Amino acid sequence: MVRGKFITFEGIDGAGKTTHLNWFRERLEARIAASGRSVVVTREPGGTALGETLRGILLNQPMDLETEALLMFAARREHLAQVIEPALARGDWVLSDRFSDATFAYQGGGRGLPRDKLEALERWVQGGFQPDLTVLFDVPIATASERRGAARSPDKFESESEAFFARTRNEYLRRAEESPERFVIVDATRSIADIQDVLEDVISTV
């Protein structure tokens, strides 16, 4: 069985990545339908029963920064073991709303946890495992802030300052610069139709 592929969507809150995820799934399913494979859609934190419980805690409860990072990686280990790794072994494709880049961006860039601690956790939990492709939806901080303001009641991350999101965005961009072969950066200020044109090109190359 040929291994499946793992694709992640990333971006700061308000970048609009979730808006495009279902459309991307439908287009990807159409592309691989003849192969008999499936597309598994999941998210982080979450993706498993334990992960969803941890998600509720992480998004809403105050806690020490290191506790927050440890819980993110604990949820990720369960996610890998129960969902991602089995799906890829079956030959299915996995599409995830966030993965470890988000932890480096939010807990590292945004909150300031030293990168070496996150890298140690990443090696422990993931080994050398990384997505085959990461689509990063990039948007100016002010635009993202306006979009968040028009959305539902914010969780503790969505309630953070513009300075926090500037640091988070910068870390995302640093990660993308560090691994250009893995990242595709999408200008999320463009129209939905224009973004879907870009994503269509992405699908044709994976």
Side-chain angles (χ1 to χ4, degrees):
M1 175 67 70
V2 177
R3 177 188 176 276
K5 291 192 176 183
F6 181 38
I7 301 172
T8 56
F9 274 25
E10 295 282 1
I12 64 172
D13 290 284
K17 62 183 173 50
T18 307
T19 300
H20 298 281
L21 192 138
N22 284 332
W23 179 90
F24 191 91
R25 172 186 57 80
E26 291 172 359
R27 299 299 297 149
L28 189 57
E29 285 175 337
R31 178 173 179 241
I32 68 173
S35 69
R37 301 182 184 190
S38 298
V39 178
V40 176
V41 178
T42 188
R43 68 178 182 176
E44 287 206 353
T48 66
L50 176 58
E52 291 297 327
T53 298
L54 291 174
R55 180 186 180 89
I57 295 170
L58 283 160
L59 297 190
N60 296 290
Q61 297 298 320
M63 64 188 69
D64 181 79
L65 172 55
E66 293 190 350
T67 303
E68 186 175 279
L70 287 164
L71 286 178
M72 287 288 185
F73 275 103
R76 183 162 300 126
R77 181 59 250 167
E78 189 75 1
H79 195 201
L80 282 163
Q82 300 298 326
V83 177
I84 298 171
E85 291 170 345
L88 295 177
R90 291 193 305 267
D92 291 337
W93 291 47
V94 179
L95 178 57
S96 183
D97 187 345
R98 300 196 189 284
F99 191 61
S100 54
D101 293 304
T103 307
F104 279 84
Y106 277 78
Q107 281 69 50
R111 296 222 192 281
L113 187 67
R115 193 180 304 159
D116 60 342
K117 292 187 176 184
L118 293 171
E119 289 171 345
L121 288 170
E122 184 181 43
R123 286 192 299 272
W124 181 29
V125 168
Q126 298 168 223
F129 179 82
Q130 292 290 346
D132 296 289
L133 172 70
T134 296
V135 183
L136 174 60
F137 291 79
D138 185 47
V139 67
I141 302 305
T143 303
S145 179
E146 289 175 7
R147 291 176 179 177
R148 289 194 304 274
R152 56 177 171 74
S153 298
D155 59 41
K156 76 176 188 183
F157 292 101
E158 293 166 336
S159 299
E160 285 286 354
S161 67
E162 290 198 1
F164 170 89
F165 282 108
R167 295 190 299 271
T168 301
R169 180 193 185 198
N170 287 340
E171 178 61 13
Y172 266 131
L173 293 173
R174 186 198 70 79
R175 296 274 289 179
E177 183 177 5
E178 188 177 67
S179 303
E181 74 289 346
R182 175 164 68 87
F183 278 83
V184 172
I185 300 177
V186 174
D187 178 358
T189 64
R190 298 173 67 181
S191 69
I192 289 176
D194 284 347
I195 291 173
Q196 288 178 351
D197 284 343
V198 174
L199 295 179
E200 193 73 65
D201 289 340
V202 169
I203 291 171
S204 70
T205 63
V206 294

